[in-house]
Amino acid sequence: MLNLLLIPEIILSIGVMIIILFDLFFQKQKGYSFALVQFILLIAAYYSLNNKLAHTYSAYTLSEFTNIFKFILLVGSLMIFHYTYKHLKFLKILKIEYFTISLLGLIGTMIMISANSLLMLYLGIELLSLSLYALIGFNKKSSLSSEAAIKYYVLGAMSSGILLFGISLIYGFTGSITYDGIASQLININMNSVDYIAIIFGLIFITASLCFKFGAAPFHMWVPDIYQGSLISTTILLSTLPKIAVFIVFLKLYFIPFILLKEVWSDILIFVGMLSIVIGSLFALTQENIKRLLAYSAISNIGFIILSLGLISGDGIHASLYYTVVYTLTALATFGIITHITSNSKGIEKTTDLAGLSKTHPYFAFLILITMLSSAGIPPLIGFHAKLMVIKALIDSSYIILSIIVVLMTVVSAYYYLKVIKIIYFDNREDLISTYSNHSIVLSINVLSLIALGVFPYLLFNLTSYLVGIFYVISI
């Protein structure tokens, strides 16, 4: 019973209540409240790895596989909150409520990862979505922020409705909402029956909703506007933690309850993945706003993840998992750097705002150089190995034409990454560019990990290979 109370979700839920009460008495000492937030995250991270409780309930799963990903989410949150605290403090809009809402969203991602039923999955998604609505509209001084929050709210409500409709179809024609129950019912379904067709429609609705949450084409229309309207600190959160959670949901949904429908969802994922890569790579070419550029870059990267997942092979699953971890590390570093840089005492908005950075702040210029080269897939950085694994998985699965298109789109995407480097190192500016800290240990470690894991790729390769092995045991 004690072990059950020490799972990360329970720790964070109790922690949120403690933080709210603590902040009431120490409203002027925000640093104390923030230290408490980080301390609670550390406790949750510790017990996510050291709690040996492993049990599968009817609607919820506690296992080594889910615990490792919860640990990754918690460590990512520690880094994001570190960047966010500095950024909000600089903008003079620091409120501890921002972190408590973020923690609730984090609990939502953990519920999504451990969910063993469609209803529990929906609850996790809604808890995450409600938190993101508030965070996107957090900057009340910005009309763009309010507009972005309304857009995401309206589109998110539509997405939730589509998800519920898909779940209702699955429940109506299988009589179960648990993953194992659905899998057992599908074995007895006649492929020529109306029930089979209805289940396929339900799966398509669920897939469409999840693709929206992932930000994959053709459900990507919200991504650039939301990224642009949100605070950079919110954009970091949007581009990392929910992506990991949705990826695990994809993995568990398709390979446990719907594995018998692999001929259906495999083609859908390959189409969505290729479309995301092409749209993300081409539309990013014309972007002048740095956040919109990175939004389209995110769409392209998500395409790589979904594409390799749709291959239905061990190498495909491994490549998608590897790419997800690499993308998360790179996005954390890229947005983390941008939170530290200001132009005319304001946050960075346009790519031209970075002009002359190499002359005034060579340290930050070098950090951006590394993240851009890694995103472009330049060896020996970790981004190269991630793209190579996806292309290799495509070739091994005999998708030669698709692998050629992916290579071409990778070359195209290199243009806008190199354009940012060109602006930083070769363009001049008259405006004032500055940073609110001369260096950051956390940021440096984040960026240097892209180099270290690129030079020694087997470190991350072995970890992701181990996770894939654990997943196979779960899914059997």
Side-chain angles (χ1 to χ4, degrees), residues 87 230-237 290-291 335-336 338-339 348:
H87 187 64
S230 305
L231 291 165
I232 282 285
S233 52
T234 305
T235 311
I236 303 178
L237 189 65
I290 186 69
K291 288 192 282 188
F335 286 108
I338 296 174
T339 61
I348 296 293

Side-chain angles (χ1 to χ4, degrees), residues 358-379:
S358 62
K359 299 177 180 63
T360 57
H361 299 85
Y363 166 74
F364 285 99
F366 174 74
L367 295 185
I368 295 182
L369 171 68
I370 297 300
T371 58
M372 291 296 109
L373 291 178
S374 180
S375 299
I378 306 297

Side-chain angles (χ1 to χ4, degrees), residues 34-252:
F34 177 70
L36 179 60
V37 171
Q38 296 291 69
F39 178 68
I40 289 170
L41 283 174
L42 284 171
I43 294 175
Y46 173 80
Y47 281 106
S48 66
L49 285 186
N50 289 277
N51 193 333
K52 302 301 180 183
L53 182 65
H55 190 80
T56 300
Y57 300 91
S58 60
Y60 213 70
T61 301
L62 299 173
S63 65
E64 184 181 5
F65 179 78
T66 57
N67 284 342
I68 290 174
F69 277 99
K70 288 174 187 177
F71 177 78
I72 292 172
L73 289 174
L74 288 162
V75 172
S77 298
L78 281 165
M79 297 173 69
I80 291 170
F81 288 1
H82 172 76
Y83 300 146
T84 300
Y85 179 76
K86 289 185 174 182
H87 187 64
L88 296 182
K89 193 174 182 181
F90 169 77
L91 296 176
K92 297 180 181 178
I93 54 173
L94 175 63
K95 292 182 179 179
I96 297 303
E97 288 89 336
Y98 186 97
F99 299 103
T100 55
I101 295 170
S102 299
L103 287 177
L104 291 173
L106 181 59
I107 295 169
T109 61
M110 291 182 176
I111 293 173
M112 290 165 64
I113 287 174
S114 287
N116 199 39
S117 84
L118 295 177
L119 186 58
M120 188 62 70
L121 169 63
Y122 173 75
L123 291 175
I125 289 175
E126 284 307 292
L127 181 54
L128 171 63
S129 298
L130 289 171
S131 302
L132 292 179
Y133 299 151
L135 294 178
I136 291 168
F138 187 78
N139 187 9
K140 297 177 183 177
K141 300 177 183 177
S142 170
S143 58
L144 279 176
S145 180
S146 301
E147 180 186 345
I150 293 170
K151 282 182 179 178
Y152 191 66
Y153 175 76
V154 172
L155 293 173
M158 291 174 59
S159 171
S160 297
I162 292 170
L163 177 62
L164 279 176
F165 187 62
I167 291 172
S168 66
L169 283 174
I170 299 296
Y171 176 66
F173 288 92
T174 63
S176 178
I177 56 172
T178 63
Y179 293 173
D180 296 333
I182 294 169
S184 62
Q185 289 297 318
L186 286 178
I187 296 174
N188 304 317
I189 294 284
N190 184 355
M191 292 182 64
N192 297 318
S193 66
V194 176
D195 291 5
Y196 183 77
I197 302 299
I199 291 168
I200 289 176
F201 271 104
L203 178 60
I204 291 171
F205 281 118
I206 291 172
T207 302
S209 179
L210 292 177
C211 284
F212 172 85
K213 301 298 182 185
F214 219 164
F219 310 98
H220 66 286
M221 70 294 291
W222 62 273
V223 180
D225 291 339
I226 304 309
Y227 274 41
Q228 182 181 3
S230 305
L231 291 165
I232 282 285
S233 52
T234 305
T235 311
I236 303 178
L237 189 65
L238 272 169
S239 62
T240 51
L241 304 188
K243 301 295 187 284
I244 297 175
V246 176
F247 167 73
I248 300 301
V249 170
F250 265 105
L251 196 60
K252 290 179 69 176

Side-chain angles (χ1 to χ4, degrees), residues 204-434:
I204 291 171
F205 281 118
I206 291 172
T207 302
S209 179
L210 292 177
C211 284
F212 172 85
K213 301 298 182 185
F214 219 164
F219 310 98
H220 66 286
M221 70 294 291
W222 62 273
V223 180
D225 291 339
I226 304 309
Y227 274 41
Q228 182 181 3
S230 305
L231 291 165
I232 282 285
S233 52
T234 305
T235 311
I236 303 178
L237 189 65
L238 272 169
S239 62
T240 51
L241 304 188
K243 301 295 187 284
I244 297 175
V246 176
F247 167 73
I248 300 301
V249 170
F250 265 105
L251 196 60
K252 290 179 69 176
L253 266 184
Y254 293 129
F255 287 91
I256 298 178
F258 298 117
I259 186 62
L260 293 178
L261 301 177
K262 59 186 178 183
E263 290 82 6
V264 177
W265 57 257
S266 172
D267 292 340
I268 295 174
L269 292 190
I270 289 174
F271 171 76
V272 168
M274 287 304 302
L275 190 64
S276 298
I277 292 171
V278 172
I279 288 179
S281 300
L282 295 180
F283 279 62
L285 294 174
T286 59
Q287 302 304 316
E288 297 297 331
N289 184 285
I290 186 69
K291 288 192 282 188
R292 291 185 73 88
L293 186 150
L294 292 174
Y296 281 109
S297 169
I299 294 168
S300 177
N301 283 308
I302 287 161
F304 278 89
I305 296 168
I306 294 177
L307 175 62
S308 50
L309 198 59
L311 300 178
I312 322 179
S313 66
D315 288 342
I317 295 174
H318 191 189
S320 61
L321 176 55
Y322 190 92
Y323 202 103
T324 302
V325 176
V326 171
Y327 164 71
T328 302
L329 274 174
T330 308
L332 276 174
T334 306
F335 286 108
I337 296 165
I338 296 174
T339 61
H340 285 72
I341 305 171
T342 62
S343 176
N344 291 327
S345 299
K346 297 179 180 179
I348 296 293
E349 287 293 331
K350 296 183 178 180
T351 54
T352 51
D353 290 340
L354 296 170
L357 183 66
S358 62
K359 299 177 180 63
T360 57
H361 299 85
Y363 166 74
F364 285 99
F366 174 74
L367 295 185
I368 295 182
L369 171 68
I370 297 300
T371 58
M372 291 296 109
L373 291 178
S374 180
S375 299
I378 306 297
L381 300 172
I382 189 65
F384 166 76
H385 298 286
K387 293 182 186 295
L388 181 63
M389 283 186 68
V390 174
I391 294 168
K392 181 180 179 298
L394 281 169
I395 294 172
D396 290 344
S397 299
S398 301
Y399 290 101
I400 306 301
I401 295 176
L402 293 186
S403 62
I404 292 171
I405 296 173
V406 169
V407 170
L408 290 175
M409 289 300 104
T410 301
V411 174
V412 170
S413 65
Y415 167 78
Y416 52 81
Y417 294 124
L418 295 176
K419 186 174 97 172
V420 174
I421 296 173
K422 174 254 181 188
I423 290 171
I424 291 171
Y425 279 91
F426 299 104
D427 288 8
N428 296 315
R429 66 181 293 141
E430 296 178 358
D431 298 337
L432 178 65
I433 187 168
S434 61

Side-chain angles (χ1 to χ4, degrees), residues 12-51:
L12 291 181
S13 299
I14 295 172
V16 167
M17 293 183 281
I18 292 172
I19 292 164
I20 292 171
L21 291 174
F22 185 87
D23 190 53
L24 285 175
F25 296 98
F26 297 92
Q27 290 186 4
K28 294 183 179 179
Q29 288 82 26
K30 300 296 183 184
Y32 294 161
S33 298
F34 177 70
L36 179 60
V37 171
Q38 296 291 69
F39 178 68
I40 289 170
L41 283 174
L42 284 171
I43 294 175
Y46 173 80
Y47 281 106
S48 66
L49 285 186
N50 289 277
N51 193 333

